[in-house]
Amino acid sequence: MTAVLAVKLVLAAAPTVVANARVLEAAWWSKQNLLTPSVSEAAWEKVWLALDLREQMVPRHRRFSSYAAALEAACAGQGILLAALPFAEREFGAGRLARLSKIRISSPVGYSIVMRAEIAASRRGRMLRQRLMTEIRG
């Protein structure tokens, strides 16, 4: 297994949502829709710890089976997303998303090249891995 890409999660929403954000207030969070694809559901607890929000709140999760659908909902101003970097960079660059804070949370999701040991040890396997890494990093 060769690690290729680690994913970080950042708080993101449409610029209109970010403009009125009160990120350090639990009452504000209680009124927000948290757009939650399965990959980020467990990470919200890390957000509350990073923001030092110990006050009791009942966040409203809007669950998605698709990260792409949750990303589109965030861009449309329907709530707040733990956006996966580098996959959301295009939306940040285009101004469709803005960051709510500087918090970056490690995602449980990462990407790797996986091969059976005998293939990975062969000349052909090494060449394939090298070519894939060149394309990914290129």
Side-chain angles (χ1 to χ4, degrees):
M1 185 165 78
T2 304
V4 175
L5 179 66
V7 177
K8 295 287 184 182
L9 302 172
V10 297
L11 287 168
T16 54
V17 174
V18 173
N20 298 311
R22 295 187 320 272
V23 178
L24 299 177
E25 295 179 20
W28 180 80
W29 281 104
S30 294
K31 296 174 186 168
Q32 303 309 306
N33 288 319
L34 306 182
L35 309 175
T36 308
S38 58
V39 68
S40 67
E41 189 153 4
W44 283 106
E45 286 303 317
K46 292 179 183 179
V47 170
W48 311 138
L49 289 172
L51 291 173
D52 198 28
L53 290 173
R54 290 181 169 79
E55 190 175 324
Q56 184 66 29
M57 65 178 151
V58 181
R60 298 183 305 197
H61 288 274
R62 185 168 163 216
R63 290 176 172 78
F64 289 82
S65 59
S66 161
Y67 174 76
L71 183 62
E72 283 303 312
C75 291
Q78 296 176 17
I80 298 165
L81 174 69
L82 278 170
L85 299 177
F87 304 117
E89 291 296 347
R90 182 174 43 180
E91 283 73 17
F92 286 119
R96 295 178 63 207
L97 278 183
R99 293 183 191 200
L100 281 163
S101 77
K102 294 182 180 183
I103 293 171
R104 292 171 66 105
I105 296 174
S106 294
S107 171
V109 173
Y111 295 86
S112 301
I113 299 170
V114 179
M115 293 183 205
R116 291 193 326 251
E118 62 272 13
I119 293 173
S122 72
R123 181 177 183 279
R124 185 173 162 210
R126 288 190 304 273
M127 289 177 63
L128 175 60
R129 186 172 53 246
Q130 182 180 356
R131 182 160 182 204
L132 287 172
M133 295 300 289
T134 300
E135 289 295 321
I136 292 166
R137 293 183 177 144

